[in-house]
Amino acid sequence: MPHNSHMTVKSLKKSHHHGDLRNALINAGIEILEEDGLDALTLRKCAARAGVSHAAPAHHFDGLPGLKGAIASEAFGIFSRHMLEAARSEGDSANARLRGICRGYVQFGLSHRALLDTIFGIDMTELEREPIEHDDSSAYQILRDACAPFVPAGTQPEVVEFQVWSLIHGYTMLFVRGHFGCTAPSDVADGPFDQVMALLDRIGTAPKP
Amino acid sequence: MPHNSHMTVKSLKKSHHHGDLRNALINAGIEILEEDGLDALTLRKCAARAGVSHAAPAHHFDGLPGLKGAIASEAFGIFSRHMLEAARSEGDSANARLRGICRGYVQFGLSHRALLDTIFGIDMTELEREPIEHDDSSAYQILRDACAPFVPAGTQPEVVEFQVWSLIHGYTMLFVRGHFGCTAPSDVADGPFDQVMALLDRIGTAPKP
DNA sequence: GCGTAAAAATTGACAGTGTAAAGTTGCCAT
DNA sequence: ATGGCAACTTTACACTGTCAATTTTTACGC
């Protein structure tokens, strides 16, 4: 006996008191992450910024991990849009698109570190977790498209995709935290980006004999 | 007027009440990380496990971030010993050593995730931070030695080192959290390790024309 | 319309946590 | 012995997540 089968298709769950509190909490969380970093993210602060009482989030998310998961999904959308732009920023060739994606990855890590940490801090193996949602315009798909020209015949596309993804993700995570020995990097150019990404030129070629 | 210039060279700061409380707190923290994960690490729990009052850690570390930094240094030593063993586990050839290091990296991430997250969660760019200490037997040096045979003449060793490091670090971080789509990975073999590490065979070769 | 039930949000309480200030204990040099 | 100091304890407080009880709002059947 579904009691709300009358709801319109585009029902935004805009409901009783607040009006889409769920999204308001997610947006508040993103603001806090951008302003004050990962450790500042708090259920109570999100609630306060959304203008509701401190216990209100419990009706929409399963604790702080639940809210973090929802924020990660939203942040992944922001990340995806950033990557789409980056893919086009360096030219139209296949090489330029792949290079642009990698540079955009690092740039996003520098400019929105807490967001990237939230996205990739999520443990997809935990039970009772709904995975981060990603549609056809997600960063995954953008990376996949950019890798496609480099996939040798008879090879699974995932292979190249995972190679590139591992390389740029590892570089970004190590670089933004200064593990490469650069002191306080504030720009991609401050690191050995070009030197490491030179490995991309070997992608899709045969191994040395 | 140094008031303690009388202390012996090997003075372990074994002092008044406890006797090397600093190290006791670090070890307690590592135990907690191994048993209950990153979120369970708490100043008060470390203090309780070391048998002191909850405010005692403040006299040895600058808050929880300070303790985490000291734990990261200790965990990096554990990681380094693990990597030294892994480097020898697959054979004596240069290829086997590099492959062994990479496999050991992922294995360590699976078996001691909280430790690896603590090590590489440290932000080396933050001011007033003392960097993680690493001597000649550190994981950095082990990786550098393993990469040396692949460094082309006239190339800086760091280039190859950073390429390999980025690749394996990114792979590990993404894999252990299930971002490659593997459900609940419990072994390196559960992931596309070999496929991604095939890129290592292109290390040190000339780019395609 | 109206009453009832469910959803949404509030309030109050509680256990943990980090942190700061003040107090206590034991060791050492003078 | 005694003054000083470092290590530790005690006490207190603000902040956090979480739960139970309550109130307010909305939706639906009658």
Side-chain angles (χ1 to χ4, degrees), chain B residues 103 106-107 110 171 175 182 185-194:
Chain B
R103 196 185 304 275
V106 185
Q107 281 173 339
L110 285 170
Y171 179 84
F175 174 65
C182 325
S186 60
D187 189 5
V188 186
D190 293 346
F193 177 82
D194 289 317

Side-chain angles (χ1 to χ4, degrees), chain A residues 25-187:
Chain A
L25 289 168
I26 291 173
N27 291 331
I30 288 183
E31 286 179 21
I32 293 172
L33 285 176
E34 296 275 49
E35 293 170 13
D36 298 320
L38 199 56
D39 292 340
L41 185 66
T42 282
L43 277 178
R44 287 172 113 107
K45 276 194 264 200
C46 289
R49 199 174 279 237
V52 293
S53 73
H54 65 265
H59 298 273
H60 296 272
F61 304 101
D62 188 18
L64 188 57
L67 175 58
K68 267 185 179 162
I71 290 177
S73 280
E74 185 66 28
F76 188 69
I78 300 173
F79 177 60
S80 297
R81 289 188 285 277
H82 182 97
M83 295 299 275
L84 184 63
E85 211 169 303
R88 296 165 172 158
S89 66
E90 297 199 19
D92 286 336
S93 73
N95 276 304
R97 289 226 302 280
L98 195 53
R99 188 67 63 107
I101 281 182
C102 290
R103 198 184 305 274
Y105 210 115
V106 185
Q107 280 172 338
F108 192 88
L110 285 171
S111 304
H112 314 280
R113 176 122 82 94
L115 261 46
L116 203 61
D117 282 344
T118 301
I119 295 170
F120 292 109
I122 297 290
D123 191 334
M124 310 285 269
T125 73
E126 275 173 11
L127 282 318
E128 83 246 9
R129 253 209 61 76
E130 49 193 276
I132 293 180
E133 42 186 281
H134 47 282
D135 53 11
D136 286 351
S137 64
S138 77
Y140 297 149
Q141 191 59 45
I142 294 167
L143 178 62
R144 167 162 302 214
D145 292 342
C147 285
F150 300 95
V151 177
T155 306
Q156 293 173 331
E158 291 84 15
V159 176
V160 174
E161 188 184 337
F162 288 171
Q163 288 173 341
V164 174
W165 193 9
S166 295
L167 184 70
I168 188 55
H169 183 76
Y171 179 83
T172 300
M173 290 300 168
L174 292 170
F175 174 64
V176 300
R177 289 182 170 79
H179 283 275
F180 286 138
C182 327
T183 55
S186 59
D187 188 5

Side-chain angles (χ1 to χ4, degrees), chain A residues 39 95 105 113 119-126 132 140 150 152 156 158-159 162-185 192 195-208, chain B residues 68 95 105 113 119-126 132 140 150 152 156 158-159 162-185 192 195-208:
Chain A
D39 292 340
N95 276 304
Y105 210 115
R113 176 122 82 94
I119 295 170
F120 292 109
I122 297 290
D123 191 334
M124 310 285 269
T125 73
E126 275 173 11
I132 293 180
Y140 297 149
F150 300 95
Q156 293 173 331
E158 291 84 15
V159 176
F162 288 171
Q163 288 173 341
V164 174
W165 193 9
S166 295
L167 184 70
I168 188 55
H169 183 76
Y171 179 83
T172 300
M173 290 300 168
L174 292 170
F175 174 64
V176 300
R177 289 182 170 79
H179 283 275
F180 286 138
C182 327
T183 55
Q195 293 178 341
V196 170
M197 290 307 133
L199 188 54
L200 290 179
D201 296 335
R202 275 88 151 180
I203 284 275
T205 63
K208 63 182 175 183
Chain B
K68 266 185 178 162
N95 276 304
Y105 209 115
R113 176 122 85 92
I119 295 170
F120 291 108
I122 297 291
D123 191 335
M124 310 285 268
T125 73
E126 274 172 13
I132 294 179
Y140 297 148
F150 300 94
Q156 293 173 331
E158 291 85 14
V159 175
F162 288 171
Q163 287 173 342
V164 174
W165 192 11
S166 296
L167 184 71
I168 188 55
H169 183 76
Y171 179 84
T172 299
M173 290 300 165
L174 292 170
F175 174 65
V176 301
R177 289 181 169 77
H179 283 274
F180 286 138
C182 325
T183 57
Q195 294 178 339
V196 171
M197 290 307 132
L199 189 55
L200 290 180
D201 296 334
R202 276 88 151 178
I203 287 273
T205 63
K208 63 181 174 184

Side-chain angles (χ1 to χ4, degrees), chain B residues 91-163:
Chain B
D92 287 335
S93 73
N95 276 304
R97 289 226 302 281
L98 195 53
R99 189 67 63 106
I101 281 181
C102 291
R103 196 185 304 275
Y105 209 115
V106 185
Q107 281 173 339
F108 192 87
L110 285 170
S111 304
H112 313 281
R113 176 122 85 92
L115 260 47
L116 203 60
D117 282 345
T118 301
I119 295 170
F120 291 108
I122 297 291
D123 191 335
M124 310 285 268
T125 73
E126 274 172 13
L127 284 316
E128 83 246 9
R129 254 209 59 77
E130 49 193 277
I132 294 179
E133 43 185 280
H134 46 281
D135 52 10
D136 286 351
S137 65
S138 79
Y140 297 148
Q141 191 58 46
I142 294 166
L143 177 63
R144 165 162 302 213
D145 292 343
C147 286
F150 300 94
V151 177
T155 306
Q156 293 173 331
E158 291 85 14
V159 175
V160 173
E161 187 185 339
F162 288 171
Q163 287 173 342

